[in-house]
Amino acid sequence: MNRRLFLRGICGAALAVPFLNSLVRSARAQEAPSPRRLVIFYTNNGCLTNRWFPTIENGAGSVTAASLETVQADGKPRTLAPLAPYAAKLLFPRGLAMPLNGLNNKVDGTVHFDPHDQGMGSKLTCAPLDPAGEHWALSHSLDHEIARRFNQGTNKIPLVLSVGNAFTNVKGIVSYSASSTPFAPVTNARTVYSSLTGLFASGSETEADHRVARGESIIDLVTHDLNALKARKMSGADRRKVDDWLALLRETEQRVLPSACTAEAAAALGVTDAALTAAGYPARGGGFGGNSETVYTLGSEMMIRLIALTMMCDNNRSIVLQWPGFVTFKWDGISHTHDHHGLSHRNGSAATGGQCVSGVLEQIHEIDRWYAGRYAKLVKTIDSIEEGGGTMLDNSAVMWLPELADGNAHNTNNLPIVIAGGAGGYLKQGVAVNLAGGNLAVGNSEASCAGGGEDENNSGNTGSSGGTVPLNKLYTTLINALGAGTPEWVPVDRFGVSDAVSAGFGGSAPSFTTDGAGNVIDGPGISNPGELDAIKA
């Protein structure tokens, strides 16, 4: 064989290898199933439930732009109007309640922790709290369950973020890696950015990009040389070498992962060193630079962009963005003098009852609408990124999960929950589903302080009745939604424990089945395991 011709053919194929990334970005995107992810947007202190829910609580046509935007009969605007453009991609599972609602907050008649402890500790774990010590939850949380099962490679922990400084006690921790093991959130967006930069691939456009756009294979770049080589008289061993090289090249084309995880993609999202600094995230150390306004406006915007970039890099399929509950809103046209927690109590303090803060309901509504705008921004950002035959949102479940329903009543039944995205077609979209039956209504959030004056007594029942379907069942459904994207997935039928567990504790902790790490994996309270079939597509 002519050595020069052989080398020309083989080296021509070898020179094609650097172009494979751009080819596979196109080819692989069509062949491989897109990853499925769970993103949790977690807020504290409840909301004005009567302004939050869609105007229709169940069935076809229940979620439309009009059902989210329509001004109420009393002339007051609705909370979720910012989500109107995405109505067709929203699911409202109605009638869900947090497990252990009203339970294990008393042991032998003694109050051990307040509802906010349980609202945080039990929310993602669906497990009771330890009545002693720091009151940590007695199991791991949903975000860790998802990360362990579905994250790629060796990274088996979720990405948990907090806007602003996070508390380090039970009132500030929503994520648990194991029983009595709180998992602190990341508060500096630069830390997240630094973890992604090592994954960036070159985004430089090449000749291959143009050819790929026309549907050509990378081997087309060297086809002439390879054909000329194969036409030469050669031994069977030499011909096998050429065929083996072609097979290797084809296999490499199929194996290289597609990626939009580039510095160029980050910059297009607005994630750069300069933007991080402007958003209040220092180059060195933890915590924040700047002030609260910077952190909650530019800083939260940066967190949202980094969530999208993390998803584009497939660096984590389990993401939580939590917001602190004790913050005074003084930005974006809002100018409050009381923190969110105090306003949720209607009296401006951590106490209950008392006199109403003047105009308190409208102040709470301003906060609710601001969070709705942030959630809508998160949904919009994820929905703007093409993936497979749709968008990244179509392959994800982006859930707004509250600590409480009404912040004054501290109730955790009939929770206001919305999920954007269908998790790869597993979940219904554009609909509200009454899982509890009967008339759920929207709660009594304006039963107190409706007059707007300081002389009013905060004594009305602001909670709601009904809506007691265990939240565990939603989490089971979400776990299976992500698992359905993998051929080897065996569906699960439970997560955590439900609210029938050891009412009042009876003076001692209940008995649970645990795994080797001490995580609660079953308990006497799961009497109705399984998914929520009514929300499945």
Side-chain angles (χ1 to χ4, degrees):
M1 177 190 295
N2 185 306
R3 182 173 181 271
R4 181 178 299 173
L5 181 59
F6 182 85
L7 290 175
R8 182 183 175 194
I10 293 301
C11 290
L15 287 172
V17 173
F19 300 111
L20 286 175
N21 187 55
S22 62
L23 167 75
V24 178
R25 278 202 301 269
S26 174
R28 184 75 172 183
Q30 298 175 8
E31 297 173 4
S34 299
R36 301 186 182 189
R37 315 140 176 113
L38 175 66
V39 182
I40 299 172
F41 182 94
Y42 187 88
T43 54
N44 296 81
N45 301 319
C47 64
L48 299 183
T49 59
N50 56 299
R51 303 193 198 185
W52 196 94
F53 290 111
T55 52
I56 303 172
E57 71 177 34
N58 186 64
S62 53
V63 180
T64 62
S67 73
L68 300 174
E69 290 178 313
T70 303
V71 174
Q72 301 177 140
D74 57 10
K76 295 174 181 177
R78 304 193 64 76
T79 299
L80 299 187
L83 289 172
Y86 313 101
K89 294 191 175 186
L90 302 179
L91 167 66
F92 289 84
R94 297 292 313 278
L96 290 166
M98 191 182 74
L100 309 146
N101 183 27
L103 304 180
N104 87 351
N105 61 340
K106 291 185 179 181
V107 180
D108 294 332
T110 302
V111 176
H112 281 253
F113 36 81
D114 69 32
H116 291 286
D117 292 10
Q118 197 152 48
M120 292 294 290
S122 296
K123 183 63 66 177
L124 285 180
T125 63
C126 290
L129 307 185
D130 186 346
E134 298 296 323
H135 305 156
W136 298 128
L138 294 176
S139 187
H140 67 292
S141 50
L142 175 67
D143 53 320
H144 283 270
E145 181 80 10
I146 294 290
R148 291 169 189 169
R149 290 183 181 272
F150 305 118
N151 273 8
Q152 301 298 286
T154 59
N155 174 30
K156 298 301 181 183
I157 60 173
L159 175 62
V160 183
L161 305 173
S162 178
V163 176
N165 295 316
F167 282 19
T168 56
N169 60 23
V170 69
K171 290 180 173 62
I173 299 291
V174 71
S175 178
Y176 287 78
S177 60
S179 176
S180 299
T181 310
F183 187 81
V186 175
T187 60
N188 191 335
R190 191 174 289 276
T191 303
V192 183
Y193 179 66
S194 297
S195 72
L196 296 175
T197 53
L199 303 176
F200 287 165
S202 172
S204 301
E205 195 171 75
T206 68
E207 170 64 20
D209 288 299
H210 299 293
R211 292 181 179 248
V212 167
R214 297 197 299 266
E216 296 179 12
S217 165
I218 198 64
I219 294 179
D220 293 332
L221 290 171
V222 292
T223 185
H224 177 77
D225 287 337
L226 288 172
N227 286 337
L229 180 62
K230 292 181 70 175
R232 302 288 295 181
K233 185 177 180 180
M234 64 179 74
S235 68
D238 284 340
R239 188 171 298 279
R240 282 193 297 273
K241 289 178 182 178
V242 176
D243 289 337
D244 288 344
W245 176 253
L246 275 168
L248 177 62
L249 196 58
R250 289 288 187 194
E251 182 183 354
T252 304
E253 283 187 10
Q254 295 169 2
R255 261 197 338 226
V256 177
L257 292 176
S259 177
C261 182
T262 65
E264 291 81 3
L269 281 172
V271 182
T272 63
D273 278 323
L276 284 159
T277 300
Y281 297 106
R284 299 178 183 275
F288 292 91
N291 53 35
S292 293
E293 180 177 357
T294 300
V295 169
Y296 273 79
T297 53
L298 298 177
S300 67
E301 178 84 11
M302 183 58 66
M303 288 289 196
I304 288 170
R305 295 171 185 173
L306 281 165
I307 288 172
L309 185 60
T310 297
M311 296 167 71
M312 292 166 71
C313 293
D314 197 17
N315 194 42
N316 215 303
R317 298 184 181 181
S318 180
I319 302 172
V320 178
L321 177 62
Q322 68 177 81
W323 301 79
F326 302 86
V327 60
T328 303
F329 279 70
K330 294 183 177 180
W331 48 82
D332 289 344
I334 303 174
S335 182
H336 294 170
T337 57
H338 300 281
D339 70 71
H340 185 197
H341 178 240
L343 291 175
S344 73
H345 286 190
R346 312 296 197 264
N347 59 25
S349 74
T352 57
Q355 300 302 113
C356 301
V357 169
S358 179
V360 65
L361 296 183
E362 297 312 311
Q363 292 183 60
I364 295 173
H365 184 58
E366 286 181 322
I367 295 172
D368 293 347
R369 280 291 294 265
W370 191 87
Y371 279 130
R374 293 288 90 180
Y375 175 71
K377 181 65 176 181
L378 174 64
V379 171
K380 178 181 179 180
T381 302
I382 296 173
D383 194 42
S384 69
I385 300 166
E386 293 183 358
E387 184 176 69
T391 72
M392 209 157 60
L393 181 66
D394 297 326
N395 297 312
S396 307
V398 182
M399 176 171 61
W400 184 352
L401 183 69
E403 175 199 11
L404 308 167
D406 181 88
N408 197 27
H410 295 87
N411 64 304
T412 55
N413 61 306
N414 201 12
L415 288 166
I417 296 173
V418 58
I419 301 171
Y426 200 85
L427 302 175
K428 289 180 178 177
Q429 293 181 280
V431 67
V433 181
N434 183 342
L435 299 164
N439 180 19
L440 285 172
V442 294
N444 305 309
S445 286
E446 300 192 40
S448 285
C449 308
E454 292 185 359
D455 57 343
E456 286 186 79
N457 184 36
N458 176 25
S459 59
N461 175 18
T462 59
S464 60
S465 59
T468 58
V469 176
L471 191 58
N472 311 60
K473 295 175 73 67
L474 174 62
Y475 294 172
T476 301
T477 310
L478 292 172
I479 293 170
N480 287 329
L482 269 65
T486 56
E488 68 278 7
W489 176 249
V490 177
V492 300
D493 74 342
R494 66 192 65 203
F495 176 81
V497 294
S498 71
D499 60 356
V501 176
S502 186
F505 268 163
S508 62
S511 174
F512 299 102
T513 301
T514 61
D515 62 18
N519 299 308
V520 174
I521 57 175
D522 201 356
I526 300 182
S527 59
N528 182 25
E531 297 182 78
L532 295 171
D533 291 331
I535 68 171
K536 292 168 61 176

